[in-house]
């Protein structure tokens, strides 16, 4: 099965909203800029741009004059196009937005100083093909910059609610997350934890100077839950599962793996139906807390001259 969407429909807007504005620490970005010398890059392509959160972050680090190109196949990326264009206009940055498929980018060879993506490769069926396309449109000596996570690790993240759960329950959560990811991948909808593999993919594609970093961002949850980051995070939790979409649900992912996985899914949903309510009770009682860490890789490389 081939999916032509760069991201699932409405993903950037529907599932993240203001929460995405808190994904990065400014100090980390300043250090990343220093290491990659982003000021030497004047034109950038953001592949799978969504609502251009990532483009907006990188814009201030590019050399002047700067031009940003953005491409996405999300049906809702155009909803905020006027606001996005106004944002870059105020910064005196030329901006061009296109609709297109990441597997077949609508740009000429050797066009950009910097080609980047944020949580795109986890949503495509053929990430190696997308990386090949990113390399094709990158200038010799240019930089590729991919931001991709391992989301599976979240199934092992502890909170004050889950810290003393029986080992069997913890293993159930890990099993659920693993089957979910593999079912999604089998349906051609991407690999939620692909970040682990991206450095190797860049090396295989012929990039030089491949470097891997981890974001230092964590949004810790603790009473009274009143920081902007915490409020945005709790609102995000209310949105529910960020990995389902209009065409497929969790049920479909488990069914794609087989009968035993589907039976596990049905048992799991009954057995752990209380978990969401348990968390809410603890938040209301001002007892819930967790460090809120994640595993987000920042992978860079250079196209050979």
């Amino acid at each position: 099965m081939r999916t032509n969407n760069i991201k699932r429909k409405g993903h950037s807007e529907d599932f993240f909203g203001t929460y995405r504005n808190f994904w990065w620490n400014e100090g980390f970005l300043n250090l990343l800029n220093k290491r990659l010398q982003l000021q030497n890059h004047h034109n950038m392509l953001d592949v799978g741009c969504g609502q251009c959160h990532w483009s907006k972050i990188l814009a201030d680090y590019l050399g002047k004059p700067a031009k940003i190109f953005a491409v996405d196949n999300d049906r809702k990326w155009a909803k905020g196009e006027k606001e996005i264009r106004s944002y870059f206009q105020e910064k005196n940055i030329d901006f061009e937005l296109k609709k297109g498929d990441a597997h077949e980018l609508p740009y000429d060879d050797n066009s950009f100083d910097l080609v980047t993506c944020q949580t795109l490769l986890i949503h495509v069926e053929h990430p190696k093909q997308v990386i090949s396309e990113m390399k094709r449109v990158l200038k010799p000596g240019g930089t590729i910059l991919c931001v991709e996570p391992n989301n599976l690790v979240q199934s092992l993240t502890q909170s004050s609610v889950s810290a003393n759960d029986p080992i069997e329950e913890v293993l159930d959560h890990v099993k659920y997350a693993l089957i979910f990811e593999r079912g999604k991948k089998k349906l051609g909808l991407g690999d939620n934890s692909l970040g682990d593999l991206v450095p190797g993919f860049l090396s295989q594609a012929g990039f030089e100077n491949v470097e891997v970093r981890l974001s230092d961002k964590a949004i810790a949850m603790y009473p009274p839950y009143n920081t902007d980051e915490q409020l945005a995070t709790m609102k995000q939790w209310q949105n529910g599962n960020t990995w389902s979409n209009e065409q497929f649900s969790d049920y479909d992912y488990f069914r794609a793996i087989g009968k035993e996985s589907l039976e596990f899914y049905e048992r799991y949903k009954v057995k752990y139906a209380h978990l969401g309510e348990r968390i809410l009770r603890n938040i209301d009682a001002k007892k819930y807390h967790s460090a809120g860490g994640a595993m987000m890789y920042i992978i860079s490389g250079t196209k050979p001259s």
Side-chain angles (χ1 to χ4, degrees):
M1 177 180 176
R2 168 65 181 274
T3 175
N4 290 323
N5 284 358
I6 284 180
K7 294 181 181 174
R8 302 314 305 162
K9 294 180 179 180
H11 187 79
S12 179
E13 178 189 19
D14 287 352
F15 289 132
F16 290 113
T18 57
Y19 170 71
R20 201 162 203 163
N21 296 330
F22 299 101
W23 276 16
W24 299 97
N25 285 321
E26 184 177 358
F28 179 88
L29 293 170
N30 292 337
L31 182 59
L32 184 69
N33 169 52
K34 183 176 180 180
R35 288 170 168 171
L36 297 181
Q37 297 293 297
L38 294 178
Q39 71 275 8
N40 295 329
H41 303 75
H42 292 267
N43 67 335
M44 178 186 86
L45 173 64
D46 184 359
V47 185
C49 61
Q51 298 294 296
C52 290
H53 295 88
W54 187 227
S55 296
K56 291 176 180 178
I57 287 173
L58 295 181
D60 290 334
Y61 296 103
L62 298 177
K64 304 297 184 288
K67 183 165 185 178
I68 292 177
F69 299 78
V71 59
D72 205 307
N73 201 30
D74 190 322
R75 69 170 184 164
K76 293 189 177 181
W77 60 262
K79 183 176 180 180
E81 180 179 354
K82 183 177 180 180
E83 291 79 7
I84 294 170
R85 291 188 183 280
S86 296
Y87 179 90
F88 291 113
Q89 186 176 7
E90 291 175 2
K91 289 183 171 291
N92 198 30
I93 294 176
D94 288 338
F95 177 73
E96 178 182 296
L97 178 63
K98 283 187 178 182
K99 185 175 182 179
D101 186 347
H103 297 88
E104 300 173 0
L105 291 172
Y107 302 99
D108 294 334
D109 297 357
N110 308 321
S111 295
F112 304 103
D113 301 330
L114 173 65
V115 178
T116 187
C117 64
Q118 177 175 257
T119 60
L120 161 72
L121 299 177
I122 60 171
H123 293 297
V124 301
E125 183 177 7
H126 304 291
K128 289 185 178 181
Q129 182 178 337
V130 173
I131 289 171
S132 178
E133 276 291 279
M134 294 174 74
K135 182 182 179 184
R136 178 183 65 79
V137 301
L138 186 63
K139 293 178 182 178
T143 300
I144 188 171
L145 182 62
C146 301
V147 179
E148 302 290 341
N150 174 321
N151 284 303
L152 186 62
V153 72
Q154 294 178 17
S155 62
L156 281 169
T157 300
Q158 294 187 105
S159 72
S160 57
V161 173
S162 64
N164 296 314
D165 283 350
I167 291 175
E168 292 75 14
E169 289 192 15
V170 176
L171 293 177
D172 276 348
H173 301 326
V174 174
K175 183 177 180 179
Y176 185 95
L178 187 57
I179 296 175
F180 179 100
E181 289 197 356
R182 292 191 177 182
K184 181 172 179 281
K185 182 178 179 181
K186 189 172 183 178
L187 290 173
L189 301 173
D191 178 351
N192 286 355
S193 295
L194 188 79
D196 295 333
L197 305 179
V198 173
F201 289 168
L202 294 191
S203 178
Q204 292 169 8
F207 284 97
E208 299 175 343
N209 307 315
V210 175
E211 297 180 343
V212 185
R213 299 177 176 88
L214 283 174
S215 171
D216 65 353
K217 184 65 180 186
I219 301 178
M221 298 298 293
Y222 49 83
Y225 321 114
N226 59 358
T227 69
D228 290 341
E229 294 180 346
Q230 292 172 340
L231 292 172
T233 300
M234 287 193 290
K235 185 177 180 180
Q236 168 64 21
W237 289 354
Q238 294 172 0
N239 287 341
N241 185 0
T242 61
W243 303 117
S244 295
N245 57 72
E246 294 175 344
Q247 293 177 300
F248 298 94
S249 66
D250 297 24
Y251 179 89
D252 297 308
Y253 302 149
F254 282 79
R255 184 173 59 179
I257 298 299
K259 181 180 178 180
E260 289 186 7
S261 293
L262 190 55
E263 290 173 349
F264 170 78
Y265 167 82
E266 292 171 342
R267 292 194 304 271
Y268 182 94
K269 285 298 183 180
V270 173
K271 184 176 180 180
Y272 299 110
H274 66 286
L275 290 186
E277 183 180 346
R278 182 174 69 164
I279 292 174
L280 290 176
R281 285 200 311 269
N282 276 265
I283 289 176
D284 290 341
K286 301 294 190 291
K287 293 181 179 180
Y288 179 89
H289 58 87
S290 179
M295 185 173 287
M296 183 71 83
Y297 295 102
I298 301 90
I299 308 112
S300 61
T302 305
K303 181 175 177 177
S305 299

